[in-house]
């Protein structure tokens, strides 16, 4: 059946269609360079893993490109590298991703190869064992990095039994127990056309892209039962402290606050607050705590975009003897947002910075394919690109004060540092 490509009413050169088998296709025509970038999003990731199988989607991503029913790992690598293309798989909390980039003339054969990887990976036992060892080394390495230790214990405090509590790598215990059958079951459950988004950007017309996608993926049908529904634990803030003594050259201090998911009205306001507080050398945290007071080796804030409740985190790396002062300094700056409205100038600078960085993040074909596919995978649709910018521009000082008062009440605290300087904190 012929599909209809629907252009976005607000985004130039972007078209969306849904194939008969459920695949969502997004095409951004950009003929400026002879490059086509493609992102294939599968609506899965570590959020969909049982806690006892944490790290499953990461291990699957590591071995997905290592063999199909017809091709070996070496043959796959040769096909990609012989034309100078790029092809890789990765996972995150909220989606699984296959990325490819080619010159226009090589797009169809590399897309064919990608379809084979997506539909019929062989998961060779030897490759699974190799990637398992590499993953376990990565998990052990994280335990030697103060920032990773601090962030891990902060996540576990805040999310407890929710999948967001764990790194996408998983744990030593869970990864050690993963089997080839686990990978196959996860793949058979979630890797299906009605759970797939294909986002293409580059020198290709929407009509040609649709024709090639239908030719390569159109025969792929859904033979599995309906997608399983997730039943995740609800999250209620219960702030607590987690202190780890580790003989390091600096202490790492983190404050965390449970906040909103991406589809909540508070999301754009929190993005503005994050930019004001911790984005760049002109941010409030950097100026006040590093430049003026000399407390920080490193200081910043982050607020990741999440399907479920996100976390707003401020952190600092500081000299061990300044650990308690650093905690007070971070708390003071966050609590200032609760009691003191942002000035019109501060608010406008934060919005300009955020919108400018957002615009710079949509310059390449890879960035365009990524952002539109990502929004679709989050259930926001490609129109969110325009809506987000409008929402940011509309944030007021009153909005910022109200949202800060709602979320920034009592923080979770995570500290890693030398015993002599952190023992009194617990």
């Amino acid at each position: 059946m012929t599909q209809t490509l629907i252009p976005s009413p607000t985004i130039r050169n972007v078209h969306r269609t849904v194939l008969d088998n459920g695949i969502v296709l997004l095409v951004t025509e950009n003929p400026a360079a002879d490059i086509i970038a493609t992102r294939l999003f599968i609506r899965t990731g570590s959020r969909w893993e049982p806690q006892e199988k944490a790290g499953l989607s990461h291990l699957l991503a590591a071995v997905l490109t290592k063999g199909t029913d017809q091709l070996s790992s070496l043959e796959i690598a040769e096909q990609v590298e012989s034309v100078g293309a790029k092809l890789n798989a990765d996972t995150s909390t909220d989606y699984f991703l296959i990325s490819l980039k080619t010159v226009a003339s090589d797009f169809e054969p590399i897309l064919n190869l990608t379809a084979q990887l997506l539909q019929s990976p062989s998961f060779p036992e030897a490759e699974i064992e190799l990637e398992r060892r590499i993953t376990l080394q990565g998990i052990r390495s994280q335990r030697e990095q103060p920032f990773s230790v601090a962030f891990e214990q902060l996540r576990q405090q805040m999310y407890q039994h929710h999948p967001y509590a764990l790194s996408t790598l998983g744990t030593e215990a869970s990864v050690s127990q993963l089997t080839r059958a686990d990978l196959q079951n996860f793949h058979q459950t979630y890797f299906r056309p009605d759970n797939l988004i294909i986002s293409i950007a580059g020198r290709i017309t929407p009509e040609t892209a649709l024709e090639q996608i239908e030719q390569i993926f159109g025969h792929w049908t859904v033979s599995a039962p309906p997608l399983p529904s997730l039943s995740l634990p609800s999250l209620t803030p219960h702030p607590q402290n987690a202190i780890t003594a580790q003989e390091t050259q600096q202490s790492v201090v983190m404050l965390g606050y449970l906040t909103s998911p991406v589809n909540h009205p508070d999301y754009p306001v929190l993005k503005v607050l994050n930019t004001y507080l911790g984005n760049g050398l002109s941010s409030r945290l950097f100026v006040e705590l590093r430049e003026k007071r000399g407390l920080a080796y490193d200081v910043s804030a982050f607020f990741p975009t999440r399907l479920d409740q996100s976390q707003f985190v401020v952190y600092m790396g500081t000299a061990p003897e300044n650990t308690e002062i650093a905690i007070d300094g971070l708390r003071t700056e966050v609590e200032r947002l609760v009691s003191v409205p942002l000035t019109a100038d501060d608010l406008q600078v934060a919005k300009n910075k955020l919108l400018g960085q957002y615009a710079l993040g949509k310059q390449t074909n890879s960035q365009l394919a990524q952002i539109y596919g990502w929004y679709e995978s989050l259930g926001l649709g490609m129109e969110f690109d325009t809506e987000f910018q409008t929402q940011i521009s509309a944030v007021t000082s009153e909005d910022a004060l109200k949202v800060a008062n709602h979320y920034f009440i009592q923080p979770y605290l995570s500290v890693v540092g030398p015993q002599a300087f952190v023992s009194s904190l617990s």
Side-chain angles (χ1 to χ4, degrees), residues 20-258:
D20 289 343
N21 58 5
I23 293 174
V24 177
L25 174 63
L26 306 172
V27 184
T28 307
E29 185 176 3
N30 182 22
D34 187 28
I35 297 293
I36 298 177
T38 305
R39 298 289 186 269
L40 295 93
F41 288 82
I42 298 95
R43 295 183 186 92
T44 188
S46 62
R47 180 174 176 266
W48 281 261
E49 298 168 352
Q51 197 156 33
E52 69 274 11
K53 297 187 186 298
L56 179 54
S57 56
H58 175 269
L59 186 59
L60 193 154
V63 299
L64 187 74
T65 59
K66 301 301 175 62
T68 71
D69 293 345
Q70 298 164 342
L71 297 170
S72 68
S73 177
L74 180 58
E75 289 170 329
I76 292 167
E78 287 176 343
Q79 283 196 31
V80 174
E81 294 172 7
S82 66
V83 295
K86 293 184 178 180
L87 172 63
N88 56 68
D90 198 5
T91 195
S92 75
T93 54
D94 293 335
Y95 61 84
F96 188 101
L97 180 65
I98 300 174
S99 306
L100 57 140
K101 183 164 70 172
T102 72
V103 296
S105 59
D106 296 320
F107 175 65
E108 190 169 0
I110 297 300
L111 190 65
N112 259 304
L113 174 61
T114 305
Q116 292 182 55
L117 296 172
L118 192 61
Q119 297 175 58
S120 56
S122 57
F123 300 130
E125 288 280 11
E127 297 287 355
I128 293 173
E129 289 308 312
L130 173 60
E131 295 300 335
R132 186 201 313 279
R133 289 198 299 272
I134 293 172
T135 300
L136 290 172
Q137 289 171 4
I139 294 170
R140 292 165 188 146
S141 175
Q142 286 184 340
R143 291 205 297 265
E144 300 173 1
Q145 302 166 22
F147 182 93
S148 296
V149 174
F151 188 42
E152 179 75 13
Q153 65 187 14
L154 182 68
R155 281 201 312 261
Q156 290 180 6
Q157 287 183 90
M158 297 178 76
Y159 289 107
Q160 301 176 31
H161 299 294
H162 190 285
Y164 288 176
L166 300 176
S167 163
T168 55
L169 293 181
T171 67
E172 279 195 80
S174 64
V175 173
S176 297
Q177 299 299 317
L178 294 175
T179 66
R180 182 171 182 268
D182 291 328
L183 298 181
Q184 290 175 317
N185 290 336
F186 195 82
H187 177 267
Q188 290 167 6
T189 300
Y190 294 105
F191 285 62
R192 42 193 282 173
D194 59 343
N195 204 34
L196 174 63
I197 298 151
I198 302 177
S199 180
I200 301 172
R203 186 174 288 182
I204 189 169
T205 66
E207 294 75 19
T208 299
L210 176 58
E211 180 182 346
Q212 293 184 354
I213 293 297
E214 284 189 315
Q215 179 182 343
I216 294 171
F217 290 94
H219 67 281
W220 191 13
T221 57
V222 179
S223 57
L227 286 161
S229 57
L230 284 181
S231 179
L232 298 177
S234 59
L235 297 170
T236 303
H238 294 293
Q240 52 192 290
N241 299 345
I243 314 297
T244 295
Q246 188 173 353
E247 292 310 307
T248 58
Q249 293 184 335
Q250 62 177 289
S251 291
V252 176
V253 175
M254 290 186 177
L255 306 182
Y257 304 82
L258 277 174

Side-chain angles (χ1 to χ4, degrees), residues 359-407:
L360 291 174
K362 298 189 298 177
Q363 297 300 299
T364 68
N365 288 331
S366 294
Q367 290 171 331
L368 292 170
Q370 175 73 25
I371 198 164
Y372 295 135
W374 181 43
Y375 287 160
E376 185 75 28
S377 75
L378 293 173
L380 301 169
M382 58 186 177
E383 302 302 330
F384 186 72
D385 174 61
T386 302
E387 293 169 3
F388 174 72
Q389 297 175 72
T390 301
Q391 291 167 1
I392 294 299
S393 297
V395 172
T396 66
S397 293
E398 291 76 15
D399 295 331
L401 189 65
K402 179 181 177 181
V403 167
N405 272 274
H406 181 71
Y407 295 106

